[in-house]
Amino acid sequence: MTQAAVSIADLNLKTKCEKGFEFEYIDEHENQTGIFLTVIGSASEKIRKASYAAHDRDARKAAMDKKRGRDTEVKPLEEWAEENMALTAMRVIAWRGISEPCTPENVVALLQSNDILLKQVIEKSDNVANFTKSKSNSSSSSQDTNSN
């Protein structure tokens, strides 16, 4: 028996990673918290474009410095960390169980204050399986395949 052909669009992980994946925040004692965050995948077009834009800014600055005969300044660690936090915060698109609204500023504040949650956002967003259906268990397409 031959398998039906699939289209290129069916294999587009960037598109699949644009769909939100909701997970429950598990605290430092492995307790469920009733706090749920929805993230998009790190392979999504939105995250890739933002990441490339940040890299392009740095590359353009280095090229201009070189053209002007100047050494490129090393980016301070704080600036690098802020850019990475902003890129990570972009992955969070909604939440439940938190009284404040899910705004970019509030997401950054939350992730800066909670390293455990920050790690979970990265792990869940990086796991492409969270955004795709498993052939062996297609009924649980939203089930987290990356356990904590």
Side-chain angles (χ1 to χ4, degrees):
M1 183 171 180
T2 59
Q3 187 175 2
V6 297
S7 74
I8 293 172
D10 293 333
L11 301 173
N12 187 336
L13 288 178
K14 292 178 185 178
T15 300
K16 291 176 182 181
C17 285
E18 290 288 342
K19 297 176 182 160
F21 172 77
E22 183 178 78
F23 70 94
E24 184 171 11
Y25 165 53
I26 304 299
D27 72 13
E28 62 277 9
H29 300 289
E30 301 293 319
N31 297 316
Q32 295 178 323
T33 62
I35 297 169
F36 295 86
L37 281 80
T38 303
V39 296
I40 58 174
S42 59
S44 71
E45 193 64 27
K46 177 181 178 180
I47 301 303
R48 285 178 182 235
K49 281 183 178 180
S51 180
Y52 295 162
H55 179 270
D56 288 348
R57 278 191 305 274
D58 292 344
R60 279 194 302 275
K61 183 179 181 329
M64 289 301 292
D65 287 346
K66 183 176 180 180
K67 185 177 179 180
R68 293 178 179 149
R70 292 187 272 182
D71 290 334
T72 301
E73 290 183 29
V74 176
K75 185 182 290 190
L77 182 59
E78 295 82 12
E79 187 177 336
W80 179 83
E82 284 177 14
E83 286 180 8
N84 281 329
M85 180 60 69
L87 287 171
T88 301
M90 285 181 66
R91 301 176 190 199
V92 178
I93 60 171
W95 61 40
R96 294 188 292 130
I98 298 175
S99 59
E100 292 83 2
C102 183
T103 65
E105 298 79 16
N106 285 343
V107 173
V108 168
L110 175 64
L111 298 180
Q112 285 177 332
S113 69
N114 189 320
D115 289 341
I116 296 167
L117 186 53
L118 173 65
K119 180 180 176 192
Q120 289 177 22
V121 165
I122 293 168
E123 287 174 352
K124 305 301 183 188
S125 180
D126 284 349
N127 187 350
V128 176
N130 288 334
F131 304 92
T132 59
K133 294 180 181 176
S134 170
K135 287 186 180 195
S136 63
N137 192 2
S138 60
S139 64
S140 63
S141 61
S142 294
Q143 183 176 348
D144 182 7
T145 58
N146 186 12
S147 64
N148 274 336

